[in-house]
Amino acid sequence: MLSETDARARGLADLPEVQSDLLLQLIALCNADPRPEKIDVGVGVFRDGHGNTPILKVIKEAERILLETQETKSYLGSAGDKRFAELLRPVLLGEHADDDRIAGLQTPGGCGALRLGFELIATVNPNARVLVGTPTWPNHAPIIRAVGLQMIEYPYYDRDACSIRFDAMVAALKEARAGDVVLLHGCCHNPTGADLDDGQWAEVAPIIAERGLLPFVDIAYQGFGRGLDEDARGLRGLLSACDEVIAAQSCDKNFSVYRDRVGSLFVKTGSTDTTARAMAHVGQRAREMWSMPPDHGAAAVRIVLDTPKLRQRWPGELAAMRDRINSVRQRIASADPRLAYIGNQFGMFSMLPLSRDQVLALRERHAIYMADSGRFNVVGLSDAQVDRFTAAVVEALDA
Ligand code: LMR
């Protein structure tokens, strides 16, 4: 017999409360703060020395070309813009660009690529476990759980020593079971800024290959760390070592097209036939979730990569963003020996050794908005804000 409660039809009013994403909450909190001196080092967007997130000149030019030449907005299909994915191959895959066991398709941002990659894994192996080094991007866990996969955490970063716990990482990989998935940050680790160096990648890749693990590389900041090729070396090493590799790529940052949501998913398997089958599944999952990715941003990126004079100019604009990131890092690092580690890290993020209460006190007293974890967007700071920010952080560290 059904109880009265079970029998009652459930309506939307029965929905439980949901804890909304903390980073998105932080954007709203910061926007609502009326203090003109507020400092937003929360969500990861590049800002120039004046605190603006400009549209790249190559993208503006590509959009002009798009406006003048686009003749139809008819559907492209669930793989999106195929030429876009083709032109990304040398950028992302380097020496593996011509490997026909690797196929890629356009996705709505890196987040869409992650979801799609995990959907593929759940389709073939619903019992796969996903090894995740902590801390990681706060949206990784919800995406992995959403597809029903189990997550196994291992400690990646030591907050007190401000360095990678490489031994713990290697130990976790050596304990993993064949078929387990290893989620790795390709470069510019989010949230710590602590990347594996070339030697560490070279150590990790054969362990992954020998143990039959599936590496899944999240590469959302290519070009923001050391350079376009340098930042992809870890991924390319895995492509050399392993038969099966998945990569979720994003152009949102390195082409500065954030809200246009431009990304791609690349899949390598042991044979062209298997890759074709995997991509058929991926296309079907994409069709179920978003049918087709939005076109505009990917079309603009495609035009940049397909137009020699724009293709030549893009690395320069990217280098200017990277140089600013690194110069802000050096300014912060030189302010206090306890912040020196920030000068040796990569990409937009680093973590401060602050408690949640200290982070909240910085918000309250100094209108400084960073994630509760102590993660801050280095390049969220305008040139004029760097000294005030570091002074407030040093004061918090001294307290
Ligand atoms: C971030 O971590 O701030 C970015 O990747 C933006 C996001 O979607 O969370």
Side-chain angles (χ1 to χ4, degrees), residues 241-291:
C242 305
D243 270 351
E244 297 191 349
V245 180
I246 297 183
Q249 179 273 353
S250 176
C251 296
D252 291 342
K253 283 83 177 178
N254 56 14
F255 284 88
S256 206
V257 288
Y258 303 88
R259 67 175 71 161
D260 284 339
R261 312 303 302 140
V262 185
S264 64
L265 177 75
F266 281 87
V267 177
K268 179 189 175 192
T269 78
S271 74
T272 48
D273 283 355
T274 307
T275 299
R277 199 150 9 103
M279 294 315 278
H281 279 277
V282 160
Q284 179 55 31
R285 291 283 94 77
R287 173 75 170 141
E288 290 155 16
M289 288 190 291
W290 49 74
S291 185

Side-chain angles (χ1 to χ4, degrees), residues 313-331:
R313 273 164 40 197
W314 170 56
E317 289 200 66
L318 179 58
M321 293 194 277
R322 178 169 66 247
D323 290 348
R324 171 149 213 279
I325 294 172
N326 291 330
S327 78
V328 178
R329 283 193 173 279
Q330 295 315 321
R331 272 183 75 183

Side-chain angles (χ1 to χ4, degrees), residues 23 42-44 137 190 221 253 349 375:
L23 271 173
V43 79
W137 183 49
N190 178 4
Y221 300 91
K253 283 83 177 178
F349 308 111
R375 182 196 91 163

Side-chain angles (χ1 to χ4, degrees), residues 290-356:
W290 49 74
S291 185
M292 301 168 205
D295 178 65
H296 179 84
V301 169
R302 186 240 307 142
I303 291 171
V304 172
L305 295 177
D306 224 358
T307 310
K309 76 170 198 289
L310 299 182
R311 174 68 184 84
Q312 241 175 357
R313 273 164 40 197
W314 170 56
E317 289 200 66
L318 179 58
M321 293 194 277
R322 178 169 66 247
D323 290 348
R324 171 149 213 279
I325 294 172
N326 291 330
S327 78
V328 178
R329 283 193 173 279
Q330 295 315 321
R331 272 183 75 183
I332 299 172
S334 60
D336 189 283
R338 287 167 296 179
L339 300 177
Y341 69 95
I342 291 171
N344 302 323
Q345 296 181 331
F346 296 97
M348 291 171 124
F349 308 111
S350 279
M351 278 182 108
L352 292 165
L354 298 174
S355 67
R356 183 165 182 274

